[in-house]
Amino acid sequence: LLGVMVAEVRKEEISEALASISGTFFGVFYVGWLLSHVIPLRNFDAVVASKWGAEAAASLHPASGAFLVVFAVSTVVACDAGAYFAGRAFGRRKLAPRISPGKTLEGAMGGIAGGAFAALLSKAIFAWQWPALGAAIPWSVVLPLGILLSIAGIIGDLVESMLKRDAAIKDAGALLPGMGGVLDRLDSALLALPLMYYLLLGYTFLHIGLQ
C-alpha cells in the first residue's frame, strides 16, 4: 500500500489519486482481510484456547477447523448452485434489478434452501465419519447457521456484482472458462467465512458463560 501511494506521487496527473489509492485500499480489505478469516477458522481450537484458555478449547478436536471450513465452503457453493438452478427454473421476480438483473427472488430462495441442505449434509457426513470433528457445531445450530451463511453468500455475490457494474465489466477475470475470474467464484465466501468465524466466536463465548 505504501508503494501504491509512492507511485501515485510520481504520476503527472493527480486528479484521480484519491480514487486510485482508496480503490487499492478497498481491494486489499475486500479480498485480503475478508478471505484471511479462513486461517483462524481452520485453527479455531487454537483461537479459542488463546482467548479463553485451554479448558475452553478442550471440547474441540485439533482438526475440527477442517470441518468448519468444509461446512462454510460447501454451504455457499450449494447456495450458488441452488440459486442458479432455481432461478433458471422458477425465476420471475427480480431480486436487485439495478445491480444484477439476472438474479431473482425465487433464485435466492432456492439458494438458501440449497445452502441449508448442504449444511445439514456436511454435519451428517462428519457426524457419521468423523464425529470428533463434527462436534464443533451442534445439531441445534446447523440449520440456522446454514441459512445465515447462505444469506451472506447471496449478499456477497450482489456486492461483487455491484462493483463490476460500477466498473462496467462483466467478469472479474477470464482465468476460469465459462465462469469468469477467481473472484467471481470467491465472492460468496468473502462474507460467509468472516460471518462463520464471528458467529462461532460469539456462540463459544456464550457457551462458556453459561457453564
Side-chain angles (χ1 to χ4, degrees), residues 44-46 48-49 56-64 68 132-133 135-137 204:
F44 193 70
D45 62 307
V48 172
S59 62
L60 292 172
H61 190 280
S64 61
L68 300 179
L133 277 62
I137 302 178
T204 303

Side-chain angles (χ1 to χ4, degrees), residues 145-169:
L145 186 57
I147 293 174
L148 288 174
L149 291 179
S150 298
I151 293 173
I154 292 171
I155 295 173
D157 194 7
L158 287 174
V159 167
E160 203 227 353
S161 295
M162 177 183 65
L163 296 176
K164 289 191 296 184
R165 181 163 291 276
D166 183 56
I169 58 174

